[in-house]
Amino acid sequence: MPLLMGNLLQQTYSLVDAAIVGRFLGINALASVGASTSVVFLILGFCNGCCGGFGIPVAQKFGARDYSTMRRYVSVSLQLAAVMSVVIALVTSILCDDILLMMRTPDNIFQGAYYYLLVTFIGVPFTFFYNLLSSIIRALGDSKTPFWFLLLSTVLNIILDLFCILVLGWGVAGAAIATVISQGVSAGLCYWYMMRRFTILRGTPDERKFDGALARRLMYIGVPMGLQFSITAIGSIMLQSANNALGTACVAAFTAAMRIKMFFMCPLESLGIAMATYTGQNYGAGKPERIWMGVKASALMMIIYWVFTFCVLMLGARAFALLFVEASEFEILKDTELFLHISVSFFPVLGVLCILRYTIQGAGYTNLAMLSGVSEMIARVLVSLYAVPAFGYLAVCFGDPTAWIAAVLFLIPAFIFVYRRLLRVKREL
């Protein structure tokens, strides 16, 4: 539950940005925020995936009670994060203009989209460190504290959004600045708490030195997890690029619908993230049979949540869309509602995807999980190239569900392979 609430708060960042921008700055500004959604997902998804991967060896060593190696992993992961986040921020900021041109961003929203994307990229180190520190804290068994820090920064984000946009008049860039500052506060609080609360992390100077072997192990697990998100995002970029070509109204509808969908997807992602840590700990403790128990419990919770969400979005999709646009924007409201109705119908497929993918990652088989991302990418690219030109916005609505189905068709046999292998290794021991 703390994971779920934390993820909901992270999505609240995006919801608040888009809602305030759409209501106070208009449809073009809303489209500016959404024109680069998939690019942001590509970069931040890579960072978040790496952070989740870095936390897995920590959870495994914590479960195995090898605290010295665990401390070394924590130290090396922080050093890697510092270098990687700065490099990513510099490269993406320089390429910002080219990225938007490649995505066929409409001219009337290009400038706003550029400033929003640029500020977001500059803030990558804050996002990277918050997610890494949260992953480490969760690996040590505390999933509540990162939630409270995120709650504080979410409130700060709302206040700063209104101040930057309404008082300072910074427009779309103001929304991005508010988010970056808020995430920086979250990261700082997590680091302060982790170092004060967990005495188990207070190691010797030797344990804080950079270790090449451990760094390679972290990169071996973390980078494929990051690439999985990035590979998935490549398909999303293709899909969004195809949608951008349909005009500003479709971009605005896509923006509103994606913000709402991502918010309601949070419990599914949270179940997956929880399974990654849970699997890592039980893998380290040599109890693979508990992993299957966790998968079944997660699947039951997922189905219960889907029934609730299906009723809410089928009946209330238009009401949620009104958070972003005026009631007179009939076309945008209709397109937003269509997107949400189709997406929520396929949430059980997405739930299975999240549970199995993160379980496989938690066991250390991150390359298999990455290949499921390749399946998603291929499906989205095919929809973008062939279905969208033929069927327009309707095909855009089916882009994600098609990708989820393709990934699950790969993940089910992959999970069976991994689980049987874990049981076989335990018997041999």
Side-chain angles (χ1 to χ4, degrees):
M1 289 304 296
L3 265 175
L4 165 59
M5 297 304 295
N7 279 340
L8 286 174
L9 285 173
Q10 281 196 309
Q11 290 304 320
T12 300
Y13 278 83
S14 297
L15 269 175
V16 167
D17 282 347
I20 292 176
V21 167
R23 279 291 183 172
F24 291 105
L25 299 179
I27 298 302
N28 282 350
L30 176 63
S32 297
V33 170
S36 56
T37 298
S38 54
V39 179
V40 172
F41 176 65
L42 186 151
I43 302 302
L44 298 189
F46 176 78
C47 296
N48 296 346
C50 287
C51 293
F54 290 171
I56 287 173
V58 176
Q60 290 175 347
K61 295 304 177 183
F62 181 71
R65 293 181 170 83
D66 183 358
Y67 300 131
S68 177
T69 306
M70 181 195 73
R71 285 190 289 269
R72 293 176 186 273
Y73 270 124
V74 170
S75 179
V76 174
S77 67
L78 291 172
Q79 295 169 48
L80 287 175
V83 175
M84 291 174 66
S85 62
V86 171
V87 170
I88 290 170
L90 285 173
V91 172
T92 53
S93 297
I94 292 171
L95 296 177
C96 191
D97 189 81
D98 294 327
I99 290 170
L100 290 172
L101 287 172
M102 179 190 70
M103 293 190 64
R104 296 186 286 179
T105 305
D107 292 338
N108 60 324
I109 63 172
F110 190 94
Q111 185 178 29
Y114 174 81
Y115 287 125
Y116 187 86
L117 194 59
L118 179 63
V119 174
T120 300
F121 285 159
I122 291 172
V124 161
F126 294 136
T127 304
F128 205 115
F129 270 97
Y130 168 74
N131 284 284
L132 174 60
L133 295 168
S134 296
S135 179
I136 293 171
I137 292 172
R138 286 195 301 268
L140 299 178
D142 181 1
S143 58
K144 295 179 181 179
T145 303
F147 161 73
W148 292 115
F149 291 153
L150 193 58
L151 175 61
L152 174 64
S153 65
T154 299
V155 174
L156 177 62
N157 182 50
I158 294 171
I159 295 170
L160 288 176
D161 259 331
L162 295 170
F163 179 72
C164 292
I165 292 173
L166 300 182
V167 178
L168 299 181
W170 287 351
V172 172
I177 291 170
T179 299
V180 167
I181 293 174
S182 301
Q183 289 181 333
V185 170
S186 292
L189 289 172
C190 280
Y191 184 79
W192 171 82
Y193 172 79
M194 188 178 77
M195 291 305 175
R196 286 179 60 90
R197 169 68 175 80
F198 295 104
T199 55
I200 196 174
L201 293 177
R202 297 174 187 172
T204 64
D206 185 61
E207 289 175 337
R208 290 192 290 270
K209 290 181 179 178
F210 184 80
D211 187 311
L214 295 186
R216 286 191 294 273
R217 172 65 177 165
L218 286 167
M219 296 292 283
Y220 177 79
I221 295 177
V223 171
M225 285 184 68
L227 288 176
Q228 169 215 299
F229 284 98
S230 295
I231 289 169
T232 301
I234 291 171
S236 297
I237 289 173
M238 292 287 293
L239 189 62
Q240 184 161 18
S241 179
N243 184 67
N244 286 351
L246 299 177
T248 302
C250 286
V251 177
F254 184 82
T255 302
M258 284 295 290
R259 293 298 195 275
I260 298 166
K261 186 191 79 170
M262 294 297 290
F263 186 85
F264 281 95
M265 280 172 48
C266 278
L268 307 178
E269 285 284 341
S270 298
L271 281 172
I273 295 169
M275 277 303 300
T277 301
Y278 174 87
T279 300
Q281 290 175 340
N282 283 285
Y283 174 82
K287 299 179 179 180
E289 65 280 353
R290 285 176 53 82
I291 295 172
W292 175 237
M293 294 169 60
V295 169
K296 290 189 291 185
S298 297
L300 176 61
M301 287 186 280
M302 178 268 291
I303 292 296
I304 294 171
Y305 171 73
W306 170 68
V307 172
F308 165 76
T309 307
F310 183 83
C311 296
V312 170
L313 286 181
M314 280 296 179
L315 298 174
R318 186 171 291 256
F320 285 110
L322 287 171
L323 293 171
F324 301 88
V325 297
E326 299 292 342
S328 58
E329 300 288 347
F330 299 114
E331 182 183 356
I332 294 174
L333 290 172
K334 177 175 67 67
D335 287 346
T336 302
E337 188 176 37
L338 176 65
F339 189 101
L340 292 173
H341 284 175
I342 292 172
S343 292
V344 76
S345 299
F346 288 87
F347 267 21
V349 180
L350 176 62
V352 173
L353 185 159
C354 292
I355 293 168
L356 295 185
R357 174 182 283 166
Y358 280 102
T359 299
I360 291 169
Q361 289 172 344
Y365 292 81
T366 52
N367 286 327
L368 277 178
M370 182 180 69
L371 289 175
S372 71
V374 174
S375 302
E376 286 192 75
M377 179 193 71
I378 293 171
R380 287 192 176 93
V381 168
L382 291 175
V383 170
S384 304
L385 293 178
Y386 299 106
V388 175
F391 302 102
Y393 186 76
L394 179 64
V396 173
C397 296
F398 276 98
D400 283 343
T402 304
W404 300 338
I405 292 170
V408 167
L409 290 175
F410 175 86
L411 284 168
I412 290 175
F415 170 74
I416 293 171
F417 165 78
V418 169
Y419 185 63
R420 286 177 176 174
R421 188 165 184 176
L422 294 180
L423 291 176
R424 186 168 63 251
V425 169
K426 183 185 178 182
R427 285 196 298 268
E428 292 171 356
L429 294 175

